[in-house]
Amino acid sequence: MLRLTYVYRNLTRNTRRSVMTSAAVALPIVIFVLSTAVIDGITRFLDNSARQLRLAITQKTSIVNPLPEGHRRKIESLDPTGTRILAVCGLRWIGGQRENDPMPLSTLGVDHDTFVEAFPEHRLDREEIDAWQRDKQALMVGRNTATQLGWKVGQRVTIMPSVPPYTPIEFHIISTMEKAEDVVTLWFRRDYFEEILKGEGKEYPEGLVSFYFVKCGSKADMDHFRQEIDRMFAGTLDETKTSDEKTFMNEFITQQFDLPRNLTILSAMTVFVAVIAAMNAMSMNVRDRISEIATLKALGFSGLFALALILAESLLICGLGGLAGSLGPYIAFTYTPLRKINIPVIQTFEIPFAMCIKSVLVALGIGLLAGAWPSWLALRMKVVAALRNLE
Amino acid sequence: MALPLYYNWRNLLVRKLSTGLTFVIVAVVVAVLAVLLSFSEGIRASMKSSGSSANIVALQTGATAESTSIIRPEEAARMMQTPGVARGRDGQPLVSHELCVQASIPRRPPPGNPANVAVRGVDDTAFLVHAEVQLIEGRMFNPAAHEVIVGRAARERYRNLEVGGEITIGRSTDKTFSVVGIFEAGGGALESEIWGPRSMISDVYLRRFTSSAIMRLDDPGMALAAIEYIRGPAVRMNAKTEADYYVDLSSKTREIVVLTTILIAIMAVGAVFAVATTMYTSVDSRRREIAMLRTLGFSRGSVIAAFLTESLLICMVACAVGLLGSLFVSGSRQDYLSDQTWTVIAYELRITPVTVASAVGLSILVGVAGAVAPALRAARIRVIEALRKG
């Protein structure tokens, strides 16, 4: 039977090498954890989009081309009962900045009457909803953005839109969306924006939305209306492209450096580096102990014992490296100010504990690969030849 | 007295496995560094070569990019008096009123998903103002026809943009344009765009207004005066040099550089540990040899230099191989979506002299950092004891 104390003793015989090998595994694991966290964040974000049973509607030729606000009534007319199409919400992107602050804001004007029903994941309470319906200048701010800008509920703020009328717009903050999944975006009422546009009297285009979101009753309804909506507007001046929200969001994400694909490649490369580093160390360990392994076998220990000894040592070194490499980022992004970091698209950067376990398993896999060849050599070692070579 | 380089080389070859594995680690780290840097270098190079300091970009006040700017005809007219603006042969000011819109064009597979490509409606003046824009294939579009010319980067990255291709542009899907020419623009962001006659582009997008005014100055030294005039009461618009405009658009590059640096630093420290493990083992297995060298008269410095040289030899050869490997991605195109223009820029991954210098620097750093402690240990070996123990 494999004696764990023996494995431990082996590990501490060249402590420096063991520690450095663990570190050489731990550091790639840090990159693996961070990359996987971003990829998982994107997947989680897209899965959440899929769960919301929403359709996204854009102008067919480009997402940047706006759609007329009149489309909303036509879409709603597809389901007079209101049981299959639960809410149609038009969104107008205005970007924006604070005065004398170049930091770009993600500000969206929405149809205030359908917003709450269309986006239930914002989990607004009764008071917030009442204030939203009552106050035309209402602004709801994602909590991370609010913290970053030092904005509080009840405060009056001014935003310079990046689109016409390009004049300062004053808002009242009514919520910092403490329970929402979106922690970045700023939401305001589109009717207020239209009122400002009309008041400018500068012939700026009015009554436009950047895209619509349609909350459906079921998956079957989504599939049905995805085709129905495009069919209704086919051949008109403003043809639509309707897709489920997950597909819509994914188009954005793949345009940002094709992040999921490139991060997967980076993770694979770092794991490969860790395997090579650990393999190098384990080969050295076996080479240093040729006489010892040969003696063990001469004493009657089986080749499998030698194999298990080397493999166990490799697994232990790499497992410890994996533990350090995964716990480091986990602690940093869970218990320090880094937990509030904003990442575009996925918004919140999370390293769940399950990912630490997954990373340790990957590290054990690295250990298995790294120990495979040296332990095979130990298994096949000819005792006489090994002992003779030491003369 | 220094040890000959041949001695170091032979020592590396004696330990083929550990030398080889360490070599692979450093080569992979260098290749990753080069590829990651080529992303930011590609965008930076694309943006840097985009703007001329002799051109001024005027946008509506409040708009952060051409794509969100709307300039009405009376506002455009006020800019024609801007001081320092060059004049064409016909005596007209070189002010190009341009319309910037977007079209959804599929990428070349894989993955083949659509990208938001910039479409620029221009008049003849645009080609005098953007002097870097040169046709390299086909012919110029006919101002009265549904024809476009396409930037070289856009043709390489997106589908149906070769000469003879047909693309849908505009608010409705029944308006197709023929691609009649390909242009280059010094490798800049304009090469990711599609250019067509402004009147035709305005028609199909139902846009009565322009997005920006780009003006050519006689002398770049007049830029400040021109910008002040445009920002002043006479025009009341936002203006900056074209070079500054594109630098501002590439602000995301800074984030990429920071992220790249962090990732590479983590990998490099890992590589240092790997090199150090190899060098320590090398020292431990050569104790008698080192003692012999010391007995023969080689100084501690020579021993330290020998181990540093061995480490650097591994790292520099690995650096060369890593860089060679990274050349496979050099020249390929990636695109990124600007969060200010909402259009994609098809930039070229580039292995530049900066990339090569960074790779060499990293390799030297890893080589030295990984060998210093083992080399010092080698230099401190007690000669008598080592000779006795063997």
Side-chain angles (χ1 to χ4, degrees), chain B residues 71-82:
Chain B
I71 299 177
R72 286 169 302 173
E74 64 272 23
E75 291 169 322
R78 291 206 294 268
M79 280 184 275
M80 304 303 274
Q81 304 301 321
T82 305

Side-chain angles (χ1 to χ4, degrees), chain A residues 16-17 27 31 59-62 64 162 164 166 202-203 237-239 254-257 276 280 284, chain B residues 60-61 68-70 72 102 104 107 113 116 170-171 173 206 252 267 278 280-281 337 344 377:
Chain A
R16 189 194 308 114
R17 185 187 291 165
L27 291 163
I31 297 180
Q59 218 274 354
K60 186 169 184 177
T61 51
S62 168
V64 179
S162 310
Y166 308 113
K202 284 187 177 172
E203 297 180 76
L237 186 60
D238 290 294
E239 286 193 60
T254 49
Q255 292 191 62
Q256 300 282 354
F257 301 106
I276 300 290
N280 192 17
M284 290 171 188
Chain B
Q60 185 59 258
T61 306
T68 55
S69 170
I70 291 181
R72 286 169 302 173
Q102 291 85 19
S104 187
R107 289 178 176 83
N113 50 341
N116 216 31
R171 285 273 290 273
T173 51
L206 307 175
K252 201 183 268 181
M267 287 190 84
T278 302
Y280 267 121
T281 308
L337 184 72
V344 286
R377 180 183 165 90

